[in-house]
């Protein structure tokens, strides 16, 4: 985002936003870019990426930043919220010919004020190890492109190692390297080490030590990003075939998988405690996956185009002592205004925070909130909260179902009403104990058609109930906080809020049994065709934002015309690999702001700020609430961009 850039859309760009913690402000003087500050013409170039390292400098200014723009690579002292950026003095600058840098990673273990180890991956497949402080190029891996000729999509040092690193390519392969080994003068010969469903691991056959040590082939198509778990023991891979695969890294064993709603997965990250993984991609959604349960626990809809980066905010993620239960109060229309139109963004007293505290009663003594963010090709940044109502759905319904559910347009309010959920083979009856519960649907028929007529009942008298927008909206469950909720009412339809609750209501009771016995395959057969067809239509209308539905439907049509996409979708939709939209909670973003002119490619959470970057080559710093320590000129209107303050 160019502070000086002109244009008609400048008034749309947001320069601050508010969450319950306070106001995040864009620091225009802390913008990093090419020294001339001219927006980069990004057509056909690789995404701008940013890497940070702390060199433990005694001066207290130990952060270093590296970013690539086109064929150029820059290395600066990062002054963050403390001082303005001085772009005239890069520590190192490199311009490459014939190839472009695509990604990079610092080794935090070996970094000192005198030396840092920076890996850089390139569009032609090579990987370079450089020291931008000493201005040395120590090694070039895959120089002759004998190992892999395709673009490097992701490069990471193996956690805790000074010499091992992992490189992913758009070929779908990953290679483990040792900086001490050479790559040899001939193409490597491989021997199968381990094989599993849609993946294989080979060792390199050689009389002497050479790179690569291992070759992983994962899925079909490009491997877009991978991420190590916080303890370094597991590896999450996001692939173009739409699958998230999580491996035990040392044993090379598959721990679990997840499938996107449609299209490829582009990005992946772990929660700070390693319990949850968030992935984003071409379905415009963020998907939250439980590591221990190996299942999707929520999806988030807020982006209007592909999600390019997801990241957890370790500073805002919290586990707090429980408070007495707090009742939900306030009308839901106010929430609707807040979330969709930016009115009253201060969420210090939000129902969301009170609802998460409410869960801290009974058997759970703590309140847990995970904060994560996402940026996308729609130039928007979204912040999300993942709270107990989503994380612990197996707790008593009186506490969990009430915060995550969506109003029904079919049944009147009930007190202690019994809701019957019917699947093809099993009937489970549960009693909702909350006095303000609202039944989500009539008991479902086994063919799922009983509720089709309710697919557009936004004018139903039941809507006269106070309509709330709980901070985490799940489409299908059957009870609700004081009144119902219509999270998609901005699209003019409630089409997916009244679909059958075949699998969700019995999640804690029958789904695990279904998975164990394979019954789930049969349980979805009779529902599959009609519900899949209807629901994909719903997704395009309601979950890809109506005003861009033509674009989304084009993407969907392209996908369904490929060789395997249709068959794969038929196999996975409605299973634990890829639950239907109405089968898992749907999150609404805390914040959803347009912050750039070009697609966003970076989101990094630091202790006192968060950092974003767009394809024009501008790296922006957003000070956390109370962390603005910049020059007084920062507050001088004459020096601020003509952005909209929200």
């Amino acid at each position: 985002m160019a502070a000086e850039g002109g244009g008609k859309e400048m008034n749309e760009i947001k320069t601050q936003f508010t969450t319950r913690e306070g106001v995040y402000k864009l620091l225009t003087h802390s913008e990093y870019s090419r020294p001339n500050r001219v927006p980069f013409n990004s057509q056909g170039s690789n995404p701008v990426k940013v890497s940070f390292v702390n060199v433990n400098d005694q001066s207290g200014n130990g952060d270093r930043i590296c970013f690539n723009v086109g064929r150029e690579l820059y290395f600066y002292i990062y002054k963050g919220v403390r001082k303005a950026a001085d772009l005239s003095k890069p520590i190192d600058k490199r311009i490459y010919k014939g190839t472009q840098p695509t990604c990079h990673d610092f080794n935090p273990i070996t970094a000192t004020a005198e030396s840092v180890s920076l890996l850089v991956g390139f569009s032609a497949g090579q990987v370079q190890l450089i020291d931008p402080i000493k201005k040395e190029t120590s090694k070039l891996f895959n120089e002759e492109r004998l190992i892999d000729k395709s673009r490097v999509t992701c490069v990471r040092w193996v956690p805790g190692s000074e010499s091992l690193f992992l490189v992913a390519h758009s070929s779908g392969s990953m290679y483990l390297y040792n900086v001490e080994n050479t790559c040899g003068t001939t193409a490597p010969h491989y021997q199968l080490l381990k094989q599993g469903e849609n993946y294989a691991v080979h060792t390199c056959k050689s009389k002497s030590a050479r790179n690569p040590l291992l070759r992983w082939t994962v899925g079909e198509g490009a491997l877009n990003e991978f991420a190590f778990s916080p303890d370094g023991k597991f590896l999450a891979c996001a692939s173009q075939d739409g699958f998230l695969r999580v491996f035990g890294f040392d044993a090379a064993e598959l721990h679990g998988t997840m499938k996107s709603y449609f299209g490829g997965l582009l990005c992946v990250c772990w929660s700070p405690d390693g319990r949850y993984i968030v992935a984003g991609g071409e379905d415009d959604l963020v998907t939250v996956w439980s590591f221990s349960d190996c299942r999707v626990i929520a999806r988030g809809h807020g982006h209007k185009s592909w999600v390019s980066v997801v990241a957890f905010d370790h500073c805002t993620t919290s586990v707090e002592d429980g408070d007495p239960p707090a009742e939900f109060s306030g009308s839901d229309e106010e929430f609707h205004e807040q979330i969709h139109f930016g009115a009253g963004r201060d969420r210090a007293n939000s129902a969301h925070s009170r609802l998460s505290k409410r869960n801290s009663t009974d058997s759970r003594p703590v309140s847990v909130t995970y904060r994560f963010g996402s940026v996308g090709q729609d130039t928007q940044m979204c912040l999300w909260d993942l709270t107990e109502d989503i994380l612990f759905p197996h707790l008593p319904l009186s506490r969990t179902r009430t915060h995550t559910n969506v109003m029904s347009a079919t049944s009147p309010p009930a007190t202690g009403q019994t809701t019957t959920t019917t699947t093809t083979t099993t009937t489970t009856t549960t009693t909702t104990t909350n006095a303000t519960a609202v039944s989500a649907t009539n008991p479902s028929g086994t063919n799922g058609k009983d509720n089709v007529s309710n697919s557009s009942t936004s004018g139903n008298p039941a809507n006269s109930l106070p309509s709330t927008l709980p901070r985490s909206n799940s489409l299908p469950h059957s009870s609700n906080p004081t009144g119902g909720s219509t999270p998609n009412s901005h699209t003019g339809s409630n089409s997916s809020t009244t679909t059958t609750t075949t699998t969700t209501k019995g999640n804690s009771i029958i789904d695990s049994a279904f998975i164990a016995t394979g019954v789930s395959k049969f349980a979805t057969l009779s529902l599959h065709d009609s519900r899949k067809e209807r629901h994909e239509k719903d997704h395009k209308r309601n979950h890809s934002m109506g005003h861009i539905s033509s674009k989304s439907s084009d993407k969907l049509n392209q996908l369904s015309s490929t060789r395997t996409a249709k068959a794969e979708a038929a196999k996975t939709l409605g299973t634990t690999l890829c639950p239907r939209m109405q089968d898992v909670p749907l999150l609404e973003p805390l914040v959803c702001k347009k912050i750039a002119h070009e697609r966003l490619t970076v989101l990094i959470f630091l202790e006192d700020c968060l950092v974003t970057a767009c394809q024009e080559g501008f790296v922006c710093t957003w000070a956390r609430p109370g962390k603005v320590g910049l020059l007084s000129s920062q507050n001088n209107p004459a020096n601020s961009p003509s952005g909209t303050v929200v």
Side-chain angles (χ1 to χ4, degrees), residues 80-317:
V81 300
R82 296 179 298 278
K83 293 183 181 178
D86 184 358
L87 299 184
S88 64
K89 298 176 182 175
I91 298 174
D92 196 15
K93 172 189 173 182
R94 297 174 184 237
I95 302 176
Y96 295 93
K97 296 180 181 177
T99 186
Q100 294 186 15
T102 57
C103 51
H104 31 83
D105 190 43
F106 287 106
N107 191 329
I109 295 178
T110 61
T112 67
E114 293 77 38
S115 173
V116 293
S117 296
L118 176 67
L119 290 168
V120 185
F122 291 90
S123 55
Q126 304 95 332
V127 178
Q128 191 179 42
L129 175 63
I130 64 177
D131 187 332
I133 294 179
K134 293 183 176 177
K135 297 184 170 52
E136 291 177 357
T137 301
S138 52
K139 287 191 177 177
L140 187 59
F141 302 93
N142 194 27
E143 182 175 8
E144 303 298 326
R145 304 171 70 213
L146 298 170
I147 297 170
D148 200 306
K149 291 181 168 58
S150 65
R151 176 173 55 90
V152 176
T153 56
C154 186
V155 60
R156 293 275 186 273
W157 290 96
V158 174
S161 174
E162 296 186 6
S163 56
L164 298 178
F165 63 93
L166 194 60
V167 181
H169 290 257
S170 59
S171 62
S173 294
M174 285 189 301
Y175 303 90
L176 181 66
Y177 288 82
N178 187 325
V179 294
E180 308 298 333
N181 296 352
T182 63
C183 289
T185 55
T186 58
H189 294 279
Y190 296 104
Q191 181 174 352
L192 183 65
L193 177 67
K194 183 160 288 192
Q195 195 165 15
E197 187 179 352
N198 284 314
Y199 83 98
V201 182
H202 293 79
T203 58
C204 184
K205 291 172 61 178
S206 177
K207 292 179 181 177
S208 59
R210 67 160 287 179
N211 283 318
L213 305 177
L214 294 175
R215 180 185 73 178
W216 297 59
T217 50
V218 180
E220 297 178 14
L223 202 166
N224 290 320
E225 189 176 36
F226 63 83
F228 283 100
S229 61
D231 61 7
K233 294 179 180 178
F234 292 89
L235 184 70
C237 301
S239 298
Q240 191 58 39
D241 62 7
F243 279 89
L244 166 74
R245 296 176 178 88
V246 181
F247 298 95
F249 183 60
D250 291 336
E253 291 180 346
L254 185 63
H255 171 77
T257 58
M258 181 271 287
K259 174 73 171 60
S260 68
Y261 193 73
F262 60 79
L265 286 179
L266 304 177
C267 51
V268 63
C269 68
W270 292 78
S271 65
D273 56 9
R275 293 183 179 181
Y276 303 98
I277 295 173
V278 171
E282 296 175 357
D283 54 9
D284 305 352
L285 302 169
V286 292
T287 303
V288 185
W289 190 80
S290 167
F291 176 79
S292 58
D293 296 342
C294 291
R295 66 181 183 89
V296 175
I297 60 168
R299 290 190 178 104
H301 176 251
H303 286 284
K304 302 173 188 175
S305 186
W306 295 357
V307 179
S308 50
V309 183
V310 287
F312 272 88
D313 182 354
H314 57 284
C315 295
T316 310
T317 293

Side-chain angles (χ1 to χ4, degrees), residues 508-523:
S508 58
I509 304 167
I510 56 175
D511 275 13
S512 55
F514 274 10
I515 296 161
T517 60
V519 178
S520 59
K521 293 179 183 175
F522 302 103

Side-chain angles (χ1 to χ4, degrees), residues 381-421:
M381 173 174 62
C382 294
L383 296 181
W384 315 80
D385 269 1
L386 188 59
T387 50
E388 285 192 350
D389 48 323
I390 304 298
L391 302 178
F392 307 118
H394 298 276
L395 293 180
L397 292 174
S398 61
R399 286 175 32 231
T400 58
R401 296 304 187 202
T402 38
H403 318 325
T404 58
N405 300 335
V406 177
M407 181 188 79
S408 158
T410 61
S411 302
T415 300
Q417 177 170 340
T418 298
T419 303
T420 303
T421 300

